[in-house]
RNA sequence: GCCUGGGUGGGGUAGCUGGUUAUCCUAUGGGACUGUGGAUCCUACGACCCGGGUUCGAAUCCCGGCCCGGGCCCCA
């Protein structure tokens, strides 16, 4: 094999694209119905956009290069930063809230595995300008609705970073990060060890383990007992009530950390079976990034859906589009093209381009699963008609082109 | 970056304790069948991932690389 696609990239053949577009259109339709407008940002950005957001540490996983003007450019590894950049650059004075969705490819230089590629697709949503739990709840509900439409059911985990952070407020910042990471990984053993190492106070330690162990109904109540009546908890309570209004099933999970500092409060993740190690199909939360990019501080909430992961597990079988084949003879090829063009206004139509004989054209129609064949022969043309053959039943009738269109459309 | 399994025509495979022309199925192009498909037959096309090493001889054994799968790290 002389030429191969680069590692971690994929080709999508027509059969698969039908499936992907089918799901994509469902997601798109829902986002639109919920009042979100589609946006598109550049495939590449200045690399600072991403290092500002995620730290220098991400450089190792980014596709970057210097362009001919000596600018350091990165293929986008995600879409939240570009959306916020776009907002800061041209939309700060727009009426709030701003509600956007996007569907695009992203690039990360990572070791490929199941559900993880170097070029992958994200379908995401951001709502900019609201601090309130209403927007958090809407975004979560929208995520669930999208997954449902794709035939994917998952476990929804909802948390709030403010609660654990309040507990850790007296801990050194660099320790906080480490603790959050261990908590997020649900690595209780590692967490114990680390807390030992930094001599964490017993009181804090006990509360921390109890907090991240809360999953059920009265989690809010118990959390309040543990860390006091702080704002984050009241917010969280309102959010959970709203999720009930949306009729969502969820699990409280105060251990979700989502890695980075700019998440401000609500965080959520949705997990699915059947994806191996990469079982998260959706993740998001509320965050503040605008100020980091030089804009006014603006609250936002959003999420990204791992489109490829959905495709991996969704069970949909969209109907293949109906196809019909116009079959002709040596002396009627030109007429066949004209008739095919009329049919093409209504259905997907094939006409022979291989110089095949009559019989082989019908055979071809059969192998591509055509529902009908329109036969354009001298005899039919003399009568001002064509023969319409139903490939399922084998029945054949003499009709005008217009009648053929009508019959084939149904 | 680390651990682990794998790579034979377009797809699926046999061979892989080294030894003629690399097996079979399928798909594809052409034909037998001259205005009616699915069948059959004929024919064509087409592969040992790449590079080095061992050997008289390598698809087969060894090393390195590339790519794929699974896991770790990471996951914005």
């Amino acid at each position: 094999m002389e030429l191969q696609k680069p590692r971690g990239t994929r080709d999508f053949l027509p059969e698969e694209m039908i499936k992907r577009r089918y799901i994509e259109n469902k997601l798109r339709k829902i986002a639109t119905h919920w009042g979100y407008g589609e946006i598109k940002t550049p495939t590449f950005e200045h690399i600072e956009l991403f290092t500002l957001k995620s730290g220098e540490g991400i450089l190792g996983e980014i596709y970057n290069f210097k362009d001919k003007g000596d600018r350091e450019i990165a293929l986008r590894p995600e879409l939240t930063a570009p959306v916020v950049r776009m907002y800061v650059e041209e939309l700060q004075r727009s009426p709030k809230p701003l509600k956007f969705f996007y569907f695009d490819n992203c690039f990360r230089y990572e070791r490929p595995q199941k559900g993880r590629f170097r070029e992958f697709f994200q379908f995401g949503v951001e709502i900019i300008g609201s601090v309130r739990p209403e927007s958090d709840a809407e975004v979560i509900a929208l995520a669930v609705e999208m997954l449902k439409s794709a035939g994917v059911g998952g476990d929804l985990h909802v948390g709030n970073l403010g609660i654990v952070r309040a507990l850790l407020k007296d801990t050194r910042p660099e320790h906080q990060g480490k603790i959050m990471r261990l908590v997020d990984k649900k690595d209780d053993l590692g967490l114990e060890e680390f807390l030992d190492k930094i001599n964490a106070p017993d009181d804090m330690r006990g509360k921390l383990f109890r907090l991240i162990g809360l999953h059920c109904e009265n989690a809010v109540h118990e959390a309040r007992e543990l860390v006091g009546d702080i704002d984050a908890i009241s917010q969280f309570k309102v959010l959970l009530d709203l999720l009930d209004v949306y009729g969502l099933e969820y699990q409280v999970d105060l251990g979700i950390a989502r890695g980075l500092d700019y998440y401000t409060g609500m965080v959520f993740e949705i997990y699915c079976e059947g994806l191996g190690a990469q079982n998260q199909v959706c993740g998001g939360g509320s965050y503040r990034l605008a100020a980091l990019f030089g804009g006014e501080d603006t609250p936002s909430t959003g999420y990204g859906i791992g489109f490829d992961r959905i495709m991996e597990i969704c069970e949909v079988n969209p109907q293949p589009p109906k196809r019909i084949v116009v079959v002709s003879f040596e002396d009627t090829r030109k007429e066949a093209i004209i008739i095919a063009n009329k049919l093409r206004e209504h259905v997907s139509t094939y006409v022979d381009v291989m110089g095949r004989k009559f019989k082989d054209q019908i055979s071809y129609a059969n192998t591509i699963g055509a529902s009908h064949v329109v036969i354009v022969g001298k005899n039919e043309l003399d009568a001002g008609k064509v023969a319409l053959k139903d490939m399922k039943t084998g029945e054949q009738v003499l009709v005008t082109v217009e009648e053929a269109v009508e019959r084939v459309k149904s």
Side-chain angles (χ1 to χ4, degrees):
Chain A
M1 195 63 68
E2 285 196 347
L3 236 37
Q4 294 177 296
K5 58 187 161 302
R7 176 161 210 206
T9 63
R10 291 158 295 162
D11 294 317
F12 301 108
L13 276 40
E15 197 184 344
E16 184 162 12
M17 282 312 293
I18 287 173
K19 230 177 129 180
R20 289 178 74 94
R21 287 288 192 215
Y22 178 76
I23 299 291
E24 180 195 331
N25 287 336
K26 282 189 175 251
L27 302 186
R28 194 170 244 133
K29 186 173 165 195
I30 291 170
T32 308
H33 280 24
W34 283 55
Y36 290 69
E38 182 172 9
I39 54 166
K40 200 162 192 91
T41 61
T43 305
F44 54 89
E45 298 265 3
H46 293 292
I47 201 163
E48 298 82 33
L49 179 62
F50 304 109
T51 51
L52 265 177
K53 173 177 181 249
S54 310
E56 301 285 324
I58 56 152
L59 284 173
E61 278 105 51
I62 265 182
Y63 273 95
N64 61 305
F65 58 92
K66 263 208 170 89
D67 73 7
K68 295 179 199 236
D70 226 27
R71 289 171 277 257
E72 197 57 50
I73 297 294
L75 299 185
R76 58 177 170 225
E78 49 114 2
L79 283 156
T80 301
V83 171
V84 176
R85 190 228 78 225
M86 177 193 79
Y87 163 74
V88 170
E89 195 171 333
E90 45 213 321
L91 293 167
Q92 291 198 77
R93 300 294 162 192
S94 306
K96 307 294 185 306
L98 291 163
K99 298 163 85 173
F100 300 129
F101 79 90
Y102 50 77
F103 174 68
D104 258 312
N105 52 350
C106 299
F107 309 84
R108 292 184 190 175
Y109 194 89
E110 296 182 293
R111 179 80 165 79
Q113 51 182 270
K114 189 178 178 72
R116 176 186 271 187
F117 307 94
R118 287 185 171 180
E119 183 189 26
F120 61 98
F121 290 77
Q122 269 199 351
F123 198 111
V125 152
E126 312 289 342
I127 172 163
I128 300 174
S130 164
V131 255
R132 315 204 84 234
E134 282 89 337
S135 61
D136 294 344
E138 175 171 308
V139 154
I140 294 173
L142 177 51
V144 171
E145 184 70 17
M146 282 186 179
L147 292 180
K148 205 165 80 186
S149 79
V152 173
D155 288 338
L156 168 62
H157 287 220
V158 185
N160 186 305
L161 290 175
I163 298 171
V164 171
R165 276 187 191 157
L167 184 68
L168 299 179
K169 64 178 185 301
D170 296 328
T171 312
R172 307 224 317 252
E174 62 268 33
H175 290 164
Q176 281 186 31
K178 174 85 176 165
I179 291 173
M180 291 305 277
R181 207 170 316 157
L182 290 166
V183 164
D184 191 57
K185 268 166 55 180
K186 313 249 183 287
D187 181 3
D188 288 357
L189 230 73
L191 183 56
E192 293 247 30
E193 278 172 23
F194 184 70
L195 292 173
D196 280 343
K197 207 174 109 193
I198 63 169
N199 284 319
D202 283 345
D203 178 53
M204 182 274 265
R205 173 191 295 233
K207 285 179 175 175
L208 177 60
F209 274 103
R210 284 187 59 196
L211 267 186
I212 62 179
L214 295 176
H215 295 302
C216 45
E217 297 291 308
N218 48 356
V220 172
H221 183 71
E222 291 184 29
R224 192 171 275 140
E225 308 223 308
L226 288 168
V227 296
D229 194 9
I230 59 171
D231 212 41
I233 291 186
S234 321
Q235 290 249 337
F236 194 50
K237 168 90 173 93
V238 176
L239 170 70
L240 296 186
D241 287 345
L242 287 169
L243 294 183
D244 290 335
V245 172
Y246 278 107
L248 301 186
E249 287 197 20
Y250 56 84
Q251 193 179 97
V252 170
D253 186 348
L254 297 173
I256 299 175
R258 292 203 63 72
L260 293 163
D261 299 339
Y262 54 82
Y263 281 102
T264 50
M266 185 278 285
V267 282
F268 76 103
E269 297 183 337
I270 300 174
Y271 313 98
C272 285
E273 302 280 314
L275 280 167
Q278 312 299 322
N279 66 340
Q280 188 186 318
V281 293
C282 177
S286 56
Y287 59 88
R288 284 169 188 265
L289 273 176
L292 193 59
F293 297 159
E296 241 170 85
D297 187 30
T298 311
S300 310
T301 303
Y303 63 80
I305 286 178
F307 189 77
D308 304 290
R309 294 183 187 172
I310 290 187
M311 292 312 301
E312 193 100 357
I313 49 177
C314 76
E315 305 209 358
V316 286
N317 286 307
Q319 290 283 319
K322 181 170 262 186
R323 307 162 154 175
I324 69 169
V325 175
V326 175
V327 172
S328 61
F329 301 89
E330 215 36 68
D331 57 349
T332 58
R333 300 198 94 96
K334 289 176 181 165
E335 289 82 352
I337 291 172
I338 307 228
I339 287 167
N341 272 351
K342 281 187 190 149
L343 291 164
R344 282 173 175 146
E345 291 168 20
H346 308 280
V347 272
S348 92
T349 303
Y350 292 65
V351 74
D352 179 56
V353 292
M354 295 284 283
R356 284 195 173 111
K357 296 182 209 167
F358 179 76
K359 184 171 180 155
D360 292 329
Q361 291 179 47
I362 292 187
S363 179
Y364 174 72
N366 183 59
T367 63
I368 66 166
S371 68
H372 295 82
V373 158
V374 169
I375 297 169
V376 180
K378 201 88 193 130
N379 300 344
E380 288 82 3
L381 288 177
D382 285 346
K385 301 198 171 177
V386 295
L388 179 67
K389 180 184 173 90
D390 185 318
M391 291 298 280
K392 262 238 171 64
T393 63
E395 281 166 27
Q396 192 170 317
V397 289
L398 199 62
V399 294
T400 64
V401 174
E402 289 71 25
E403 284 170 320
V405 166
E406 282 313 308
R407 292 199 186 210
V408 159
K409 274 204 304 195
S410 60

